[in-house]
Amino acid sequence: MNTMQQEYDLSRHNSFAFPAICPAFYQPHSLSELEDILEHLTSPFYILGAGSNTLFTEATTTAILQPDFQGITVKDAGDSILISAQCGENWHTLVSFCVENNYYGIENLALIPGSVGAAPVQNIGAYGTELADVIDHVLWYEFASKTIKKLNRSACKFAYRDSIFKNQLAGKGLIVEVTIRLAKLWQANLTYRGLDELPSDATAKEVFNKVIAIRQAKLPDPEILPNAGSFFKNPVVDKQTFETLKVKYPNMPAYMQDNGKVKLAAGWLIEQSGLKGYSTGEVGVAETQALVLVNYASKNGQDIIHLAQYVQSQVLAKFDIFLQPEVRLLSSKGLIELTQPNQA
Ligand code: EPU
């Protein structure tokens, strides 16, 4: 396939299915193709995975670089297995590959849409497991030095839906390969609500199937109803804020964090604000999971932005909590943020 296309329609490259046009679309399949592209690629440009966590907010975007390196390799490391996947591999394909080959530890992360290369950027997580739990290292190509750097788990600075790739290293390079380390001695992680219905000796395949069933029941399939999964992050608040809210809302779900803070459930806050299933024009809040914004038929990413701002304002008015988007927002000039009104 040609590595570069001009005035390229990204409809098939974003799970919201918005028809944005990028001036130039680059899809390198190897390091040498990437290096050729970087010779003439000018800023601004955006590194896109499968487009399952990016909203195109305008009819045009910046130039797009979508690395599509393929391949999975496996190495026996004694009491663990090292599995390396190239950035263009599909994440769920990797999870399925592991379960089929009896490499256990990422079955809780089944069915998360997106590419392997994008997974460390937001430290994907679901059903009690995070990518950070199993990462051994990431190979990251640095544009300035034209070299590949090896970042071990601590160098990746993983946090809840966050990593060094979103912060200090943003725009300075791209992830080419991800290596996970799975212990041979495996124990099912059944802590998350729903998975605790399984027997304590459940197999990884059973966990995998259960996670798929829960996701399919709650999260709308982007192929049928375009969306980008959770639109907002779950807010993390200090203990005092939590205690105050808890008095008023005793049934509010909350998860204590190691640092003494408390993570709240954005989906619950949105539902309590009366917005579950709310729709306006051709977009809306999903009926099964209030944290997911869906595109029924709109051709304009601004419709989702306006809906997101409405959700933010309603939750702010009721709970005094400002929800931060989890989805990345790409305009024609680069990434943008939705900031709290009247705040610098
Ligand atoms: N809740 C409601 N109403 C809703 C949605 C949720 O009351 O409409 C309540 C639930 O009853 C539960 C709590 O909120 O008490 C948490 O809900 P859930 O278990 O569905 O998970 P979540 O916090 O809404 C997070 C991740 C998901 C991940 C699930 C499962 C974020 C932003 N989202 O959602 O990740 O699949 O946990 O682990 O952390 C994604 O990132 O795109 C994503 C789907």
Side-chain angles (χ1 to χ4, degrees), residues 125-128 160-161 192-193 215 218-219 228-230 232-234 253 255 265 267-268 271 276 288-291 326:
Y127 305 101
Y160 168 60
R161 293 295 192 274
Y192 208 87
R193 201 172 41 91
R215 288 189 75 98
K218 280 200 171 176
L219 298 168
S230 301
F232 299 100
K233 285 192 228 179
N234 284 328
Y255 314 93
W268 185 90
E271 181 170 350
K276 192 171 187 171
T288 47
Q289 226 294 7
L291 196 43
E326 199 234 296

PDB file of all heavy atoms in Angstrom, residues 125-128 160-161 192-193 215 218-219 228-230 232-234 253 255 265 267-268 271 276 288-291 326, ligand 1:
ATOM      1  N   GLY A 125      -7.110   0.201  30.667  1.00  0.00           N
ATOM      2  CA  GLY A 125      -7.446  -0.586  31.849  1.00  0.00           C
ATOM      3  C   GLY A 125      -8.907  -0.947  31.846  1.00  0.00           C
ATOM      4  O   GLY A 125      -9.731  -0.202  31.310  1.00  0.00           O
ATOM      5  N   ALA A 126      -9.220  -2.102  32.402  1.00  0.00           N
ATOM      6  CA  ALA A 126     -10.621  -2.504  32.551  1.00  0.00           C
ATOM      7  C   ALA A 126     -10.703  -3.719  33.466  1.00  0.00           C
ATOM      8  O   ALA A 126      -9.782  -4.533  33.509  1.00  0.00           O
ATOM      9  CB  ALA A 126     -11.246  -2.837  31.205  1.00  0.00           C
ATOM     10  N   TYR A 127     -11.809  -3.809  34.199  1.00  0.00           N
ATOM     11  CA  TYR A 127     -12.138  -4.986  35.005  1.00  0.00           C
ATOM     12  C   TYR A 127     -10.990  -5.409  35.923  1.00  0.00           C
ATOM     13  O   TYR A 127     -10.633  -6.585  36.016  1.00  0.00           O
ATOM     14  CB  TYR A 127     -12.668  -6.125  34.109  1.00  0.00           C
ATOM     15  CG  TYR A 127     -13.831  -5.599  33.324  1.00  0.00           C
ATOM     16  CD1 TYR A 127     -13.699  -5.212  32.008  1.00  0.00           C
ATOM     17  CD2 TYR A 127     -15.034  -5.362  33.981  1.00  0.00           C
ATOM     18  CE1 TYR A 127     -14.745  -4.604  31.332  1.00  0.00           C
ATOM     19  CE2 TYR A 127     -16.085  -4.759  33.317  1.00  0.00           C
ATOM     20  CZ  TYR A 127     -15.938  -4.383  32.004  1.00  0.00           C
ATOM     21  OH  TYR A 127     -16.968  -3.767  31.357  1.00  0.00           O
ATOM     22  N   GLY A 128     -10.389  -4.392  36.563  1.00  0.00           N
ATOM     23  CA  GLY A 128      -9.412  -4.668  37.603  1.00  0.00           C
ATOM     24  C   GLY A 128      -7.977  -4.851  37.137  1.00  0.00           C
ATOM     25  O   GLY A 128      -7.087  -5.095  37.950  1.00  0.00           O
ATOM     26  N   TYR A 160      -3.336   6.429  36.235  1.00  0.00           N
ATOM     27  CA  TYR A 160      -4.689   6.161  35.719  1.00  0.00           C
ATOM     28  C   TYR A 160      -4.910   6.889  34.380  1.00  0.00           C
ATOM     29  O   TYR A 160      -4.857   8.104  34.342  1.00  0.00           O
ATOM     30  CB  TYR A 160      -5.724   6.599  36.762  1.00  0.00           C
ATOM     31  CG  TYR A 160      -7.139   6.645  36.248  1.00  0.00           C
ATOM     32  CD1 TYR A 160      -7.761   5.507  35.747  1.00  0.00           C
ATOM     33  CD2 TYR A 160      -7.856   7.837  36.236  1.00  0.00           C
ATOM     34  CE1 TYR A 160      -9.049   5.554  35.264  1.00  0.00           C
ATOM     35  CE2 TYR A 160      -9.153   7.891  35.766  1.00  0.00           C
ATOM     36  CZ  TYR A 160      -9.739   6.744  35.265  1.00  0.00           C
ATOM     37  OH  TYR A 160     -11.021   6.794  34.780  1.00  0.00           O
ATOM     38  N   ARG A 161      -5.057   6.131  33.334  1.00  0.00           N
ATOM     39  CA  ARG A 161      -5.261   6.649  31.964  1.00  0.00           C
ATOM     40  C   ARG A 161      -4.205   7.687  31.585  1.00  0.00           C
ATOM     41  O   ARG A 161      -4.496   8.674  30.905  1.00  0.00           O
ATOM     42  CB  ARG A 161      -6.654   7.278  31.802  1.00  0.00           C
ATOM     43  CG  ARG A 161      -7.803   6.301  31.881  1.00  0.00           C
ATOM     44  CD  ARG A 161      -7.759   5.305  30.715  1.00  0.00           C
ATOM     45  NE  ARG A 161      -8.986   4.550  30.626  1.00  0.00           N
ATOM     46  CZ  ARG A 161      -9.252   3.420  31.303  1.00  0.00           C
ATOM     47  NH1 ARG A 161      -8.341   2.912  32.114  1.00  0.00           N
ATOM     48  NH2 ARG A 161     -10.402   2.803  31.158  1.00  0.00           N
ATOM     49  N   TYR A 192     -13.310  -7.373  40.168  1.00  0.00           N
ATOM     50  CA  TYR A 192     -14.265  -6.383  39.653  1.00  0.00           C
ATOM     51  C   TYR A 192     -15.693  -6.917  39.671  1.00  0.00           C
ATOM     52  O   TYR A 192     -15.930  -8.099  39.367  1.00  0.00           O
ATOM     53  CB  TYR A 192     -13.882  -5.991  38.221  1.00  0.00           C
ATOM     54  CG  TYR A 192     -14.327  -4.591  37.847  1.00  0.00           C
ATOM     55  CD1 TYR A 192     -13.526  -3.495  38.134  1.00  0.00           C
ATOM     56  CD2 TYR A 192     -15.548  -4.380  37.222  1.00  0.00           C
ATOM     57  CE1 TYR A 192     -13.923  -2.213  37.796  1.00  0.00           C
ATOM     58  CE2 TYR A 192     -15.959  -3.093  36.883  1.00  0.00           C
ATOM     59  CZ  TYR A 192     -15.136  -2.017  37.165  1.00  0.00           C
ATOM     60  OH  TYR A 192     -15.531  -0.749  36.831  1.00  0.00           O
ATOM     61  N   ARG A 193     -16.604  -6.016  40.000  1.00  0.00           N
ATOM     62  CA  ARG A 193     -18.025  -6.377  40.056  1.00  0.00           C
ATOM     63  C   ARG A 193     -18.458  -7.035  38.734  1.00  0.00           C
ATOM     64  O   ARG A 193     -18.185  -6.533  37.658  1.00  0.00           O
ATOM     65  CB  ARG A 193     -18.840  -5.108  40.279  1.00  0.00           C
ATOM     66  CG  ARG A 193     -20.219  -5.304  40.834  1.00  0.00           C
ATOM     67  CD  ARG A 193     -20.811  -3.941  41.189  1.00  0.00           C
ATOM     68  NE  ARG A 193     -20.498  -2.949  40.161  1.00  0.00           N
ATOM     69  CZ  ARG A 193     -21.279  -2.689  39.115  1.00  0.00           C
ATOM     70  NH1 ARG A 193     -22.418  -3.299  38.960  1.00  0.00           N
ATOM     71  NH2 ARG A 193     -20.925  -1.784  38.223  1.00  0.00           N
ATOM     72  N   ARG A 215     -18.848  -6.477  28.597  1.00  0.00           N
ATOM     73  CA  ARG A 215     -18.638  -5.318  27.720  1.00  0.00           C
ATOM     74  C   ARG A 215     -19.755  -5.215  26.686  1.00  0.00           C
ATOM     75  O   ARG A 215     -20.262  -4.131  26.404  1.00  0.00           O
ATOM     76  CB  ARG A 215     -17.279  -5.405  27.019  1.00  0.00           C
ATOM     77  CG  ARG A 215     -16.088  -5.169  27.924  1.00  0.00           C
ATOM     78  CD  ARG A 215     -14.807  -5.053  27.127  1.00  0.00           C
ATOM     79  NE  ARG A 215     -14.712  -3.777  26.438  1.00  0.00           N
ATOM     80  CZ  ARG A 215     -14.021  -2.728  26.892  1.00  0.00           C
ATOM     81  NH1 ARG A 215     -13.351  -2.803  28.008  1.00  0.00           N
ATOM     82  NH2 ARG A 215     -13.995  -1.601  26.215  1.00  0.00           N
ATOM     83  N   LYS A 218     -22.926  -3.798  28.141  1.00  0.00           N
ATOM     84  CA  LYS A 218     -22.931  -2.414  28.640  1.00  0.00           C
ATOM     85  C   LYS A 218     -22.464  -1.375  27.637  1.00  0.00           C
ATOM     86  O   LYS A 218     -22.951  -0.254  27.620  1.00  0.00           O
ATOM     87  CB  LYS A 218     -21.993  -2.329  29.849  1.00  0.00           C
ATOM     88  CG  LYS A 218     -22.592  -2.833  31.116  1.00  0.00           C
ATOM     89  CD  LYS A 218     -21.812  -2.274  32.270  1.00  0.00           C
ATOM     90  CE  LYS A 218     -22.494  -2.578  33.581  1.00  0.00           C
ATOM     91  NZ  LYS A 218     -21.678  -2.117  34.691  1.00  0.00           N
ATOM     92  N   LEU A 219     -21.442  -1.748  26.848  1.00  0.00           N
ATOM     93  CA  LEU A 219     -20.817  -0.741  25.991  1.00  0.00           C
ATOM     94  C   LEU A 219     -21.312  -0.905  24.564  1.00  0.00           C
ATOM     95  O   LEU A 219     -21.206  -1.995  23.995  1.00  0.00           O
ATOM     96  CB  LEU A 219     -19.290  -0.890  26.046  1.00  0.00           C
ATOM     97  CG  LEU A 219     -18.669  -0.680  27.428  1.00  0.00           C
ATOM     98  CD1 LEU A 219     -17.221  -1.137  27.467  1.00  0.00           C
ATOM     99  CD2 LEU A 219     -18.763   0.792  27.819  1.00  0.00           C
ATOM    100  N   ALA A 228     -16.564   6.285  21.344  1.00  0.00           N
ATOM    101  CA  ALA A 228     -15.146   6.086  21.665  1.00  0.00           C
ATOM    102  C   ALA A 228     -14.975   5.571  23.085  1.00  0.00           C
ATOM    103  O   ALA A 228     -14.049   5.942  23.799  1.00  0.00           O
ATOM    104  CB  ALA A 228     -14.367   7.383  21.459  1.00  0.00           C
ATOM    105  N   GLY A 229     -15.880   4.704  23.534  1.00  0.00           N
ATOM    106  CA  GLY A 229     -15.796   4.181  24.901  1.00  0.00           C
ATOM    107  C   GLY A 229     -16.063   5.290  25.904  1.00  0.00           C
ATOM    108  O   GLY A 229     -16.789   6.253  25.593  1.00  0.00           O
ATOM    109  N   SER A 230     -15.471   5.178  27.080  1.00  0.00           N
ATOM    110  CA  SER A 230     -15.682   6.221  28.098  1.00  0.00           C
ATOM    111  C   SER A 230     -15.248   7.559  27.525  1.00  0.00           C
ATOM    112  O   SER A 230     -14.092   7.702  27.111  1.00  0.00           O
ATOM    113  CB  SER A 230     -14.836   5.940  29.334  1.00  0.00           C
ATOM    114  OG  SER A 230     -15.152   4.691  29.879  1.00  0.00           O
ATOM    115  N   PHE A 232     -15.312  10.465  29.322  1.00  0.00           N
ATOM    116  CA  PHE A 232     -14.646  11.205  30.404  1.00  0.00           C
ATOM    117  C   PHE A 232     -13.849  10.252  31.281  1.00  0.00           C
ATOM    118  O   PHE A 232     -14.131   9.048  31.330  1.00  0.00           O
ATOM    119  CB  PHE A 232     -15.690  11.920  31.284  1.00  0.00           C
ATOM    120  CG  PHE A 232     -16.526  12.921  30.539  1.00  0.00           C
ATOM    121  CD1 PHE A 232     -17.813  12.605  30.121  1.00  0.00           C
ATOM    122  CD2 PHE A 232     -16.028  14.181  30.248  1.00  0.00           C
ATOM    123  CE1 PHE A 232     -18.592  13.538  29.430  1.00  0.00           C
ATOM    124  CE2 PHE A 232     -16.793  15.119  29.558  1.00  0.00           C
ATOM    125  CZ  PHE A 232     -18.084  14.787  29.154  1.00  0.00           C
ATOM    126  N   LYS A 233     -12.872  10.817  31.992  1.00  0.00           N
ATOM    127  CA  LYS A 233     -12.147  10.029  32.997  1.00  0.00           C
ATOM    128  C   LYS A 233     -12.981  10.000  34.267  1.00  0.00           C
ATOM    129  O   LYS A 233     -13.744  10.941  34.537  1.00  0.00           O
ATOM    130  CB  LYS A 233     -10.815  10.708  33.338  1.00  0.00           C
ATOM    131  CG  LYS A 233      -9.765  10.545  32.271  1.00  0.00           C
ATOM    132  CD  LYS A 233      -8.429  10.999  32.831  1.00  0.00           C
ATOM    133  CE  LYS A 233      -7.762  11.908  31.864  1.00  0.00           C
ATOM    134  NZ  LYS A 233      -6.501  12.444  32.269  1.00  0.00           N
ATOM    135  N   ASN A 234     -12.806   8.972  35.055  1.00  0.00           N
ATOM    136  CA  ASN A 234     -13.403   8.980  36.385  1.00  0.00           C
ATOM    137  C   ASN A 234     -12.640   9.997  37.230  1.00  0.00           C
ATOM    138  O   ASN A 234     -11.405   9.929  37.318  1.00  0.00           O
ATOM    139  CB  ASN A 234     -13.320   7.586  37.018  1.00  0.00           C
ATOM    140  CG  ASN A 234     -14.351   6.637  36.420  1.00  0.00           C
ATOM    141  OD1 ASN A 234     -15.439   7.056  36.019  1.00  0.00           O
ATOM    142  ND2 ASN A 234     -14.018   5.363  36.348  1.00  0.00           N
ATOM    143  N   PRO A 253     -20.926   5.336  44.290  1.00  0.00           N
ATOM    144  CA  PRO A 253     -19.761   4.443  44.191  1.00  0.00           C
ATOM    145  C   PRO A 253     -18.464   5.232  44.335  1.00  0.00           C
ATOM    146  O   PRO A 253     -18.363   6.357  43.845  1.00  0.00           O
ATOM    147  CB  PRO A 253     -19.853   3.851  42.780  1.00  0.00           C
ATOM    148  CG  PRO A 253     -21.094   4.372  42.155  1.00  0.00           C
ATOM    149  CD  PRO A 253     -21.655   5.451  43.025  1.00  0.00           C
ATOM    150  N   TYR A 255     -13.917   4.597  44.938  1.00  0.00           N
ATOM    151  CA  TYR A 255     -12.789   3.658  45.026  1.00  0.00           C
ATOM    152  C   TYR A 255     -11.612   4.375  45.670  1.00  0.00           C
ATOM    153  O   TYR A 255     -11.100   5.364  45.128  1.00  0.00           O
ATOM    154  CB  TYR A 255     -12.410   3.154  43.624  1.00  0.00           C
ATOM    155  CG  TYR A 255     -13.618   2.741  42.804  1.00  0.00           C
ATOM    156  CD1 TYR A 255     -14.251   3.650  41.947  1.00  0.00           C
ATOM    157  CD2 TYR A 255     -14.135   1.448  42.898  1.00  0.00           C
ATOM    158  CE1 TYR A 255     -15.378   3.283  41.216  1.00  0.00           C
ATOM    159  CE2 TYR A 255     -15.258   1.077  42.178  1.00  0.00           C
ATOM    160  CZ  TYR A 255     -15.879   2.004  41.330  1.00  0.00           C
ATOM    161  OH  TYR A 255     -16.996   1.632  40.615  1.00  0.00           O
ATOM    162  N   ALA A 265     -17.187   7.560  40.234  1.00  0.00           N
ATOM    163  CA  ALA A 265     -17.625   6.993  38.950  1.00  0.00           C
ATOM    164  C   ALA A 265     -18.324   8.073  38.124  1.00  0.00           C
ATOM    165  O   ALA A 265     -19.443   8.491  38.452  1.00  0.00           O
ATOM    166  CB  ALA A 265     -18.562   5.817  39.206  1.00  0.00           C
ATOM    167  N   GLY A 267     -19.717   7.863  35.312  1.00  0.00           N
ATOM    168  CA  GLY A 267     -20.984   7.369  34.755  1.00  0.00           C
ATOM    169  C   GLY A 267     -22.124   7.559  35.751  1.00  0.00           C
ATOM    170  O   GLY A 267     -23.238   7.948  35.378  1.00  0.00           O
ATOM    171  N   TRP A 268     -21.834   7.331  37.017  1.00  0.00           N
ATOM    172  CA  TRP A 268     -22.848   7.508  38.065  1.00  0.00           C
ATOM    173  C   TRP A 268     -23.213   8.983  38.187  1.00  0.00           C
ATOM    174  O   TRP A 268     -24.382   9.347  38.280  1.00  0.00           O
ATOM    175  CB  TRP A 268     -22.312   6.951  39.386  1.00  0.00           C
ATOM    176  CG  TRP A 268     -23.301   6.958  40.515  1.00  0.00           C
ATOM    177  CD1 TRP A 268     -24.182   5.973  40.847  1.00  0.00           C
ATOM    178  CD2 TRP A 268     -23.507   8.022  41.465  1.00  0.00           C
ATOM    179  NE1 TRP A 268     -24.927   6.348  41.942  1.00  0.00           N
ATOM    180  CE2 TRP A 268     -24.530   7.607  42.336  1.00  0.00           C
ATOM    181  CE3 TRP A 268     -22.934   9.284  41.652  1.00  0.00           C
ATOM    182  CZ2 TRP A 268     -24.992   8.402  43.388  1.00  0.00           C
ATOM    183  CZ3 TRP A 268     -23.388  10.082  42.706  1.00  0.00           C
ATOM    184  CH2 TRP A 268     -24.403   9.635  43.558  1.00  0.00           C
ATOM    185  N   GLU A 271     -25.345   9.913  35.303  1.00  0.00           N
ATOM    186  CA  GLU A 271     -26.698   9.342  35.429  1.00  0.00           C
ATOM    187  C   GLU A 271     -27.510  10.103  36.479  1.00  0.00           C
ATOM    188  O   GLU A 271     -28.682  10.434  36.251  1.00  0.00           O
ATOM    189  CB  GLU A 271     -26.632   7.849  35.788  1.00  0.00           C
ATOM    190  CG  GLU A 271     -28.019   7.250  35.900  1.00  0.00           C
ATOM    191  CD  GLU A 271     -28.054   5.733  36.016  1.00  0.00           C
ATOM    192  OE1 GLU A 271     -27.023   5.067  35.819  1.00  0.00           O
ATOM    193  OE2 GLU A 271     -29.161   5.228  36.285  1.00  0.00           O
ATOM    194  N   LYS A 276     -28.523  10.016  31.557  1.00  0.00           N
ATOM    195  CA  LYS A 276     -28.366   8.702  30.913  1.00  0.00           C
ATOM    196  C   LYS A 276     -29.438   8.562  29.828  1.00  0.00           C
ATOM    197  O   LYS A 276     -30.626   8.786  30.088  1.00  0.00           O
ATOM    198  CB  LYS A 276     -28.522   7.600  31.960  1.00  0.00           C
ATOM    199  CG  LYS A 276     -28.086   6.232  31.471  1.00  0.00           C
ATOM    200  CD  LYS A 276     -28.066   5.266  32.641  1.00  0.00           C
ATOM    201  CE  LYS A 276     -27.475   3.934  32.266  1.00  0.00           C
ATOM    202  NZ  LYS A 276     -27.270   3.091  33.434  1.00  0.00           N
ATOM    203  N   THR A 288     -27.068   2.571  27.986  1.00  0.00           N
ATOM    204  CA  THR A 288     -26.617   1.493  28.863  1.00  0.00           C
ATOM    205  C   THR A 288     -25.448   1.902  29.753  1.00  0.00           C
ATOM    206  O   THR A 288     -25.162   1.236  30.746  1.00  0.00           O
ATOM    207  CB  THR A 288     -26.154   0.282  28.029  1.00  0.00           C
ATOM    208  OG1 THR A 288     -25.308   0.773  26.982  1.00  0.00           O
ATOM    209  CG2 THR A 288     -27.328  -0.463  27.442  1.00  0.00           C
ATOM    210  N   GLN A 289     -24.742   2.979  29.396  1.00  0.00           N
ATOM    211  CA  GLN A 289     -23.556   3.415  30.151  1.00  0.00           C
ATOM    212  C   GLN A 289     -23.419   4.918  29.947  1.00  0.00           C
ATOM    213  O   GLN A 289     -23.065   5.374  28.868  1.00  0.00           O
ATOM    214  CB  GLN A 289     -22.313   2.704  29.596  1.00  0.00           C
ATOM    215  CG  GLN A 289     -21.348   2.114  30.611  1.00  0.00           C
ATOM    216  CD  GLN A 289     -20.637   3.138  31.499  1.00  0.00           C
ATOM    217  OE1 GLN A 289     -20.931   4.335  31.489  1.00  0.00           O
ATOM    218  NE2 GLN A 289     -19.700   2.657  32.296  1.00  0.00           N
ATOM    219  N   ALA A 290     -23.696   5.694  30.999  1.00  0.00           N
ATOM    220  CA  ALA A 290     -23.764   7.148  30.834  1.00  0.00           C
ATOM    221  C   ALA A 290     -22.406   7.795  30.549  1.00  0.00           C
ATOM    222  O   ALA A 290     -22.338   8.963  30.191  1.00  0.00           O
ATOM    223  CB  ALA A 290     -24.385   7.774  32.083  1.00  0.00           C
ATOM    224  N   LEU A 291     -21.329   7.030  30.708  1.00  0.00           N
ATOM    225  CA  LEU A 291     -19.987   7.581  30.474  1.00  0.00           C
ATOM    226  C   LEU A 291     -19.629   7.581  28.979  1.00  0.00           C
ATOM    227  O   LEU A 291     -18.616   8.140  28.571  1.00  0.00           O
ATOM    228  CB  LEU A 291     -18.979   6.741  31.273  1.00  0.00           C
ATOM    229  CG  LEU A 291     -17.586   7.271  31.520  1.00  0.00           C
ATOM    230  CD1 LEU A 291     -17.597   8.737  31.893  1.00  0.00           C
ATOM    231  CD2 LEU A 291     -16.906   6.463  32.601  1.00  0.00           C
ATOM    232  N   GLU A 326     -11.588  11.875  28.522  1.00  0.00           N
ATOM    233  CA  GLU A 326     -10.594  10.820  28.401  1.00  0.00           C
ATOM    234  C   GLU A 326     -10.194  10.714  26.936  1.00  0.00           C
ATOM    235  O   GLU A 326      -9.047  10.447  26.599  1.00  0.00           O
ATOM    236  CB  GLU A 326     -11.225   9.501  28.874  1.00  0.00           C
ATOM    237  CG  GLU A 326     -10.228   8.448  29.236  1.00  0.00           C
ATOM    238  CD  GLU A 326     -10.467   7.165  28.489  1.00  0.00           C
ATOM    239  OE1 GLU A 326     -11.517   6.544  28.696  1.00  0.00           O
ATOM    240  OE2 GLU A 326      -9.576   6.778  27.709  1.00  0.00           O
TER     241      GLU A 326
HETATM  242  N1  EPU B   1     -22.561   3.682  36.808  1.00  0.00           N
HETATM  243  C1  EPU B   1     -23.816   4.228  36.905  1.00  0.00           C
HETATM  244  N2  EPU B   1     -24.427   4.638  35.752  1.00  0.00           N
HETATM  245  C2  EPU B   1     -23.845   4.501  34.545  1.00  0.00           C
HETATM  246  C3  EPU B   1     -22.544   3.958  34.458  1.00  0.00           C
HETATM  247  C4  EPU B   1     -21.932   3.558  35.614  1.00  0.00           C
HETATM  248  O1  EPU B   1     -24.389   4.379  37.972  1.00  0.00           O
HETATM  249  O2  EPU B   1     -24.476   4.880  33.551  1.00  0.00           O
HETATM  250  C5  EPU B   1     -21.922   3.198  38.048  1.00  0.00           C
HETATM  251  C6  EPU B   1     -21.869   1.667  38.059  1.00  0.00           C
HETATM  252  O3  EPU B   1     -23.041   1.108  38.577  1.00  0.00           O
HETATM  253  C7  EPU B   1     -20.673   1.392  38.934  1.00  0.00           C
HETATM  254  C8  EPU B   1     -19.753   2.569  38.621  1.00  0.00           C
HETATM  255  O4  EPU B   1     -20.561   3.597  38.074  1.00  0.00           O
HETATM  256  O5  EPU B   1     -21.014   1.454  40.295  1.00  0.00           O
HETATM  257  C9  EPU B   1     -18.625   2.187  37.653  1.00  0.00           C
HETATM  258  O6  EPU B   1     -19.192   1.740  36.422  1.00  0.00           O
HETATM  259  P1  EPU B   1     -18.471   0.657  35.484  1.00  0.00           P
HETATM  260  O7  EPU B   1     -18.050  -0.525  36.287  1.00  0.00           O
HETATM  261  O8  EPU B   1     -19.362   0.418  34.318  1.00  0.00           O
HETATM  262  O9  EPU B   1     -17.120   1.325  35.017  1.00  0.00           O
HETATM  263  P2  EPU B   1     -16.717   2.834  34.678  1.00  0.00           P
HETATM  264  O10 EPU B   1     -15.988   3.404  35.853  1.00  0.00           O
HETATM  265  O11 EPU B   1     -17.897   3.578  34.189  1.00  0.00           O
HETATM  266  C10 EPU B   1     -14.352   2.190  33.792  1.00  0.00           C
HETATM  267  C11 EPU B   1     -13.506   2.473  32.586  1.00  0.00           C
HETATM  268  C12 EPU B   1     -13.951   1.618  31.408  1.00  0.00           C
HETATM  269  C13 EPU B   1     -13.844   0.155  31.801  1.00  0.00           C
HETATM  270  C14 EPU B   1     -14.695  -0.082  33.041  1.00  0.00           C
HETATM  271  C15 EPU B   1     -14.545  -1.489  33.560  1.00  0.00           C
HETATM  272  C16 EPU B   1     -12.767   4.779  32.758  1.00  0.00           C
HETATM  273  C17 EPU B   1     -12.898   6.177  32.245  1.00  0.00           C
HETATM  274  N3  EPU B   1     -13.591   3.879  32.219  1.00  0.00           N
HETATM  275  O12 EPU B   1     -15.672   2.614  33.487  1.00  0.00           O
HETATM  276  O13 EPU B   1     -13.062   1.859  30.335  1.00  0.00           O
HETATM  277  O14 EPU B   1     -14.259  -0.696  30.752  1.00  0.00           O
HETATM  278  O15 EPU B   1     -14.287   0.807  34.106  1.00  0.00           O
HETATM  279  O16 EPU B   1     -13.304  -1.634  34.158  1.00  0.00           O
HETATM  280  O17 EPU B   1     -11.929   4.532  33.615  1.00  0.00           O
HETATM  281  C18 EPU B   1     -12.746   3.206  28.390  1.00  0.00           C
HETATM  282  O18 EPU B   1     -11.751   3.657  28.948  1.00  0.00           O
HETATM  283  O19 EPU B   1     -13.099   3.583  27.246  1.00  0.00           O
HETATM  284  C19 EPU B   1     -13.558   2.243  29.094  1.00  0.00           C
HETATM  285  C20 EPU B   1     -14.690   1.750  28.581  1.00  0.00           C
END
